[in-house]
Amino acid sequence: MSERQAKTKRKNEIKKAPVKKKSALDIISNIIIVILILTVLGIGGWAVYSKFSQMPKEESTTENITTPTISEAAQQEEISVEEFLAKYGLSDVEGLTDDKEITEIMPLMTFENYAAFVDSDVETLKQGMGLTKDYSNDTLMSEIIADMTASGQAPVEETQTEE
């Protein structure tokens, strides 16, 4: 056998690595390391848990928002329901009861009355709503909402639900 063949044979032979026996000192040191790691993890978990448990619970605000009715809005302005309807030009509209929501009567208001309802003037409201088309003061909000929806803008009811 040549030297080259002997060398490849030695490379291809499975070598048995010597198995190191673990002493008692190695086992004890491994146990101590595991205990230290678990202790650090436990203290960290306790610190994080105590911080999270002290945080106030957030309640979902969308579930608790209710749209005011006509009577609630009139009470807020300290006027009667009839005065409220007259103030915003809705006294001649049939079928309005004091338990209707404000969002249901907004499309029935004129642009000028809606501006008064949200405590604004017409020009500021036009700019705030991003209206490009020139609407007259007696244009119904239902027309403006329909135009805004058709052009892809957010409708008025979504932007003014805080009232």
Side-chain angles (χ1 to χ4, degrees), residues 22-43:
K22 294 192 177 192
S23 66
L25 186 61
D26 290 338
I27 294 172
I28 292 174
S29 64
N30 286 341
I31 291 173
I32 291 173
I33 290 172
V34 167
I35 290 173
L36 286 175
I37 290 172
L38 291 175
T39 304
V40 168
L41 288 175
I43 291 172

Side-chain angles (χ1 to χ4, degrees), residues 102-111 114 129 131 135 139-160:
I102 293 296
T103 54
E104 293 179 41
I105 65 166
M106 283 181 189
L108 305 173
M109 292 181 185
T110 63
F111 193 54
Y114 180 74
M129 292 170 65
L131 299 177
Y135 295 100
T139 304
L140 289 178
M141 285 302 296
S142 59
E143 294 177 33
I144 297 172
I145 293 169
D147 288 348
M148 289 176 70
T149 305
S151 68
Q153 289 180 322
V156 176
E157 286 105 355
E158 293 177 11
T159 59
Q160 296 296 331

Side-chain angles (χ1 to χ4, degrees), residues 16-84:
K16 293 185 178 179
V19 178
K20 181 181 174 187
K21 293 189 176 186
K22 294 192 177 192
S23 66
L25 186 61
D26 290 338
I27 294 172
I28 292 174
S29 64
N30 286 341
I31 291 173
I32 291 173
I33 290 172
V34 167
I35 290 173
L36 286 175
I37 290 172
L38 291 175
T39 304
V40 168
L41 288 175
I43 291 172
W46 174 76
V48 169
Y49 175 75
S50 67
K51 293 293 180 191
F52 278 118
S53 65
Q54 292 175 359
M55 290 176 48
K57 304 249 189 271
E58 291 185 24
E59 295 179 16
S60 179
T61 55
T62 57
E63 294 173 3
N64 297 333
I65 293 178
T66 57
T67 306
T69 60
I70 295 173
S71 62
E72 292 170 347
Q75 284 177 347
Q76 193 173 18
E77 292 187 23
E78 298 176 356
I79 57 176
S80 69
V81 173
E82 292 79 23
E83 292 172 328
F84 180 83

